[in-house]
């Protein structure tokens, strides 16, 4: 029995190893040329992390392997190398692909609600809460009427002793 | 005061309404910032005559379609019969932009499926496509006489969509001026 088990785990291990090797080979095949300048490359990467790959929309341009993302990274690299600022590069891309290309939407008339909405909701909720607290403070407790007092006493006296929940 | 208990219900319904609307939106259709702007100018080689060039300025004074396609693009095949028909009927000049494709593959594709294009510009590295914000072939741009992009369609054109949206625009733009 143990021998059989050992064989089984060995086979699993071999399979895993094969998968890893295949993955590594695949990744190696996908290597994209990067520039020799590590500072520039860091800037490219930092900027690409905030750019949406339009082909695979929930991935950033930095992590996507779609051909368009590669093109966009190359554009970013070229333009940064040519001395353009981060903002100029982003504007260049927005002019072609729209605001959707950046993960942080720009602040403008159509996005005011998006940016300020949560803050407005928070302020409104806090305001309502404060109002309610103040109102409660000002409330004068209504004294019990005679009939109510009699009823309350009757209830208290008639109440059976509380049962013990657990024995 | 009595209707106070309805407030959460109303909020819930409003939220549900927004979500239902959001479900119907197609995230693939990103509104192009280029609509209403001058089409990016380009001048590149032609597919069938590599020594000749095609310039977007050549189309000045005409209402035309720029159709971005490639032989490797599967959904391009879906809209191809419609384009062939448009080309045959001569409704509107359709310029093809052969995107990130090989010349031999592209020519082979046209032999196999028919050639609906008045001219085909080649964009092997996707440079022109990049300027047009192309991110998923096929894409079709409607460009007016002054060279302004009036409409962008992403994905394969359907006959229904063409007749309902594009054809009225083409008629309107051709009439004006």
């Amino acid at each position: 029995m143990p021998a059989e088990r050992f064989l089984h785990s060995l086979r699993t291990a071999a399979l895993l190893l094969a998968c890893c090797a295949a993955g590594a080979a695949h990744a190696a095949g996908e290597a994209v040329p990067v520039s020799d300048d590590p500072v520039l490359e860091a800037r490219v990467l930092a900027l690409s992390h905030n750019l949406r790959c339009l082909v695979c929309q929930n991935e950033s341009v930095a992590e996507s392997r779609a051909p368009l993302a590669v093109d966009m990274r190359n554009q970013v690299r070229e333009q940064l190398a040519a001395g353009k600022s981060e903002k100029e590069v982003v504007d260049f891309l927005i002019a072609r692909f729209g605001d959707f290309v950046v993960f942080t939407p720009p602040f403008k008339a159509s996005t005011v609600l998006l940016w300020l909405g949560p803050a407005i909701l928070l302020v409104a909720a806090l305001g309502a809460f404060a109002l309610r607290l103040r109102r409660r403070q000002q409330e004068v407790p209504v004294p019990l009427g005679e009939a109510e007092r009699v009823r309350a006493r009757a209830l208290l006296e008639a109440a059976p002793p509380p049962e013990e929940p657990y024995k | 005061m009595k209707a106070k208990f309805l407030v959460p219900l109303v909020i819930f319904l409003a939220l549900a309404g927004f979500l239902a609307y959001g479900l119907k939106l197609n995230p693939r259709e990103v509104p192009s910032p280029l609509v209403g702007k001058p089409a990016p100018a380009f001048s590149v080689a032609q597919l069938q005559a590599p020594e000749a060039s095609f310039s977007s300025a050549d189309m000045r004074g005409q209402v035309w379609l720029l159709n971005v396609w490639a032989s490797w693009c599967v959904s391009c095949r879906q809209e191809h019969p419609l384009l062939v028909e448009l080309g045959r009927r001569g409704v509107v000049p359709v310029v093809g932009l052969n995107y990130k494709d090989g010349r031999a593959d592209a020519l082979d594709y046209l032999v196999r499926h028919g050639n609906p294009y008045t001219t085909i510009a080649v964009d092997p590295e996707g440079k022109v496509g990049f300027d047009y914000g192309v991110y998923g072939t096929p894409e079709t741009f409607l460009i007016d006489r002054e060279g302004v992009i009036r409409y962008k369609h992403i994905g394969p054109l359907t006959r229904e969509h063409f007749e309902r949206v594009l054809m009225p625009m083409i008629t309107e733009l051709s009439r004006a001026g």
Side-chain angles (χ1 to χ4, degrees), chain B:
Chain B
M1 262 309 152
K2 277 272 170 223
K4 217 173 183 180
F5 71 97
L6 282 177
V7 170
L9 182 68
V10 170
I11 293 176
F12 168 75
L13 285 179
L15 202 62
F18 276 123
L19 292 176
Y21 179 70
L23 269 181
K24 293 233 164 106
L25 291 178
N26 182 359
R28 294 263 142 210
E29 274 169 25
V30 181
S32 174
L34 288 163
V35 172
K37 301 242 172 70
F42 64 93
S43 185
V44 292
Q46 292 185 19
L47 178 70
Q48 283 122 322
E51 65 289 339
S53 74
F54 169 83
S55 165
S56 53
D58 298 348
M59 300 305 286
R60 270 290 157 99
Q62 289 190 71
V63 177
W64 57 294
L65 292 180
L66 179 70
N67 178 252
V68 185
W69 67 284
S71 64
W72 47 261
C73 156
V74 179
S75 40
C76 294
R77 288 176 204 194
Q78 216 171 311
E79 66 170 7
H80 206 76
L82 177 69
L83 294 177
V84 170
E85 191 198 310
L86 293 181
R88 207 181 45 231
R89 272 165 48 198
V91 181
V92 60
V94 183
V95 175
L97 182 70
N98 188 230
Y99 180 73
K100 291 191 175 180
D101 208 352
R103 215 175 96 78
D105 291 338
L107 288 171
D108 184 51
Y109 177 90
L110 293 179
V111 169
R112 206 172 301 170
H113 301 282
N115 179 4
Y117 303 109
T118 41
T119 322
I120 300 168
V122 286
D123 183 21
E125 275 133 56
K127 291 226 166 81
V128 178
F130 198 87
D131 277 339
Y132 276 78
V134 170
Y135 63 86
T137 50
E139 291 190 13
T140 307
F141 296 85
L142 173 62
I143 300 170
D144 73 6
R145 294 176 183 194
E146 278 76 48
V148 174
I149 296 178
R150 289 311 187 99
Y151 186 77
K152 179 190 184 183
H153 183 83
I154 297 159
L157 273 175
T158 60
R159 186 177 307 274
E160 190 270 330
H161 188 81
F162 181 82
E163 297 296 343
R164 186 169 51 85
V165 180
L166 271 162
M167 201 54 222
M169 288 184 89
I170 293 169
T171 320
E172 179 64 30
L173 290 172
S174 310
R175 199 186 310 128

Side-chain angles (χ1 to χ4, degrees), chain A residues 55 57 68 71 75 94 96 98, chain B residues 27-28 33 100 130-131 133 135:
Chain A
V55 180
Q57 299 187 341
L68 183 76
D71 284 358
Q75 261 313 317
I94 286 179
R96 279 154 185 76
Chain B
R28 294 263 142 210
K100 291 191 175 180
F130 198 87
D131 277 339
Y135 63 86

Side-chain angles (χ1 to χ4, degrees), chain A residues 15-77:
Chain A
L15 205 68
L16 272 174
L17 205 69
C19 285
C20 289
H26 186 60
E30 293 279 338
V32 198
V34 293
S35 78
D36 303 326
D37 182 354
V39 181
L40 175 67
E41 213 46 49
R43 283 177 72 201
V44 170
L45 216 61
L47 191 59
S48 319
H49 270 299
N50 190 32
L51 294 173
R52 185 196 304 276
C53 167
L54 287 158
V55 180
C56 26
Q57 299 187 341
N58 293 326
E59 267 190 309
S60 77
V61 164
E63 57 209 9
S64 175
R65 291 202 292 205
L68 183 76
V70 176
D71 284 358
M72 284 168 91
R73 276 200 298 268
N74 288 339
Q75 261 313 317
V76 170
R77 185 176 300 121

Side-chain angles (χ1 to χ4, degrees), chain A residues 78-145:
Chain A
E78 251 171 56
Q79 300 207 2
L80 285 180
K84 288 202 180 176
S85 73
E86 264 82 355
K87 190 182 175 314
E88 281 173 311
V89 177
V90 168
D91 286 346
F92 170 87
L93 291 171
I94 286 179
R96 279 154 185 76
F97 296 98
D99 290 337
F100 196 57
V101 80
V102 281
F103 278 117
T104 42
F107 187 83
K108 55 188 198 181
S110 59
T111 57
V112 164
L113 205 61
L114 184 67
W115 277 105
L116 299 185
I120 293 171
L121 276 181
L122 182 68
V123 168
L126 284 179
F129 185 55
L131 207 71
R132 206 179 147 88
L133 280 186
R134 177 162 327 154
R135 222 179 258 167
R136 191 187 279 180
Q137 236 169 25
Q138 287 164 353
E139 258 174 29
V140 187
V142 185
L144 287 182

